[in-house]
Amino acid sequence: MINCIYEYCDVSTVNESDIVILLDEPDNFMHPETTRRFLSHLEKILTQIPDKNFQVIISTHSPILLSDVPSSNIIRMKKDSITGECVKCEINNQTFGANIHTILSEDFFMNSTIGKFSENYIKDLISDISDINGDTNNINKLVSDYRDRIEIIGEKIIRNRLHHLLNSQLDKLQNIELQIKHHENIIAKLQKKKEVKELSND
């Protein structure tokens, strides 16, 4: 694509000094690393063509391309939920040199940076861990299964938070069991006192 742009601008615009280049989703079908290098290569190629001023307009959904463009040079569009028309909306953060994941989550209308299936998987796992109780049969096997389910999650922060949640639930169970044993001991002592008293009355 870069070569095609160069040849067109160098040959087909001999008598033009100001040139506008329109690129519609140029990153389609590109490898991510190729996309990451695209604007750098384009800039180098265009600066090799003398006596011409270029304005490049790109439509894209790629946060990779946006990380090479200052937010002041970006027009963000979204579909109005009422009229159905595309309207301009504000960009709240600087995009140039920004983390690609940050751009994706904050400026590309995404509710999460992980897939919906894995999102539901994590929510279900949180619910399952939160429902652990002392009546659960074979608690050791259940905890082992939960730890295996946690370990396949790639995001370290989420993985650590789930381990912390599981450990907290186990601590609660242990405290409940200790309290049960304590009260059982008290009941046993009271029962023994009752039996001794009954024998003394006889």
Side-chain angles (χ1 to χ4, degrees):
M1 179 183 290
I2 295 291
N3 290 336
C4 291
I5 294 173
Y6 176 81
E7 291 175 4
Y8 175 79
C9 293
D10 191 38
V11 176
S12 301
T13 61
V14 175
N15 298 321
E16 303 290 339
S17 59
D18 297 321
I19 302 170
V20 177
I21 300 175
L22 303 177
L23 300 175
D24 183 22
E25 303 278 359
D27 52 297
N28 278 355
F29 311 110
M30 282 186 185
H31 187 280
E33 180 61 20
T34 304
T35 302
R36 193 182 73 84
R37 296 171 180 267
F38 177 74
L39 289 182
S40 176
H41 289 325
L42 181 61
E43 188 269 340
K44 288 179 182 178
I45 288 295
L46 294 182
T47 54
Q48 292 176 14
I49 303 175
D51 303 322
K52 295 185 186 297
N53 300 312
F54 294 98
Q55 180 181 15
V56 181
I57 300 175
I58 300 174
S59 67
T60 184
H61 289 89
S62 171
I64 302 176
L65 290 182
L66 290 193
S67 69
D68 271 346
V69 181
S71 56
S72 58
N73 290 2
I74 297 172
I75 297 176
R76 175 183 171 185
M77 307 294 290
K78 72 175 182 179
K79 185 177 181 179
D80 189 284
S81 59
I82 298 175
T83 65
E85 297 179 352
C86 285
V87 295
K88 180 181 177 181
C89 55
E90 296 295 325
I91 297 176
N92 298 320
N93 301 305
Q94 295 294 337
T95 55
F96 185 76
N99 184 288
I100 291 169
H101 298 289
T102 301
I103 298 174
L104 187 65
S105 62
E106 294 184 359
D107 290 329
F108 271 71
F109 322 113
M110 292 183 66
N111 296 322
S112 176
T113 56
I114 64 175
K116 186 64 178 175
F117 180 83
S118 58
E119 180 183 0
N120 290 337
Y121 175 95
I122 292 169
K123 288 179 178 179
D124 290 342
L125 184 53
I126 291 172
S127 177
D128 291 343
I129 293 173
S130 299
D131 288 340
I132 293 178
N133 58 70
D135 295 330
T136 302
N137 294 325
N138 203 355
I139 186 69
N140 291 333
K141 183 179 184 305
L142 188 64
V143 170
S144 177
D145 289 342
Y146 285 154
R147 294 202 188 281
D148 288 341
R149 289 170 63 184
I150 291 172
E151 281 303 312
I152 71 169
I153 296 171
E155 175 56 57
K156 184 177 180 180
I157 294 176
I158 295 176
R159 193 168 63 244
N160 289 343
R161 291 294 297 272
L162 287 171
H163 277 304
H164 178 74
L165 175 62
L166 180 57
N167 291 333
S168 297
Q169 289 297 103
L170 294 177
D171 287 342
K172 289 179 183 178
L173 281 180
Q174 187 176 18
N175 289 334
I176 290 173
E177 289 175 358
L178 289 174
Q179 291 179 30
I180 290 173
K181 289 180 179 179
H182 174 69
H183 288 297
E184 286 176 344
N185 289 333
I186 292 176
I187 292 172
K189 289 178 180 179
L190 292 173
Q191 185 67 32
K192 188 173 182 179
K193 287 182 179 180
K194 180 181 177 182
E195 291 174 355
V196 170
K197 186 176 181 180
E198 289 176 348
L199 288 173
S200 63
N201 290 336
D202 293 341

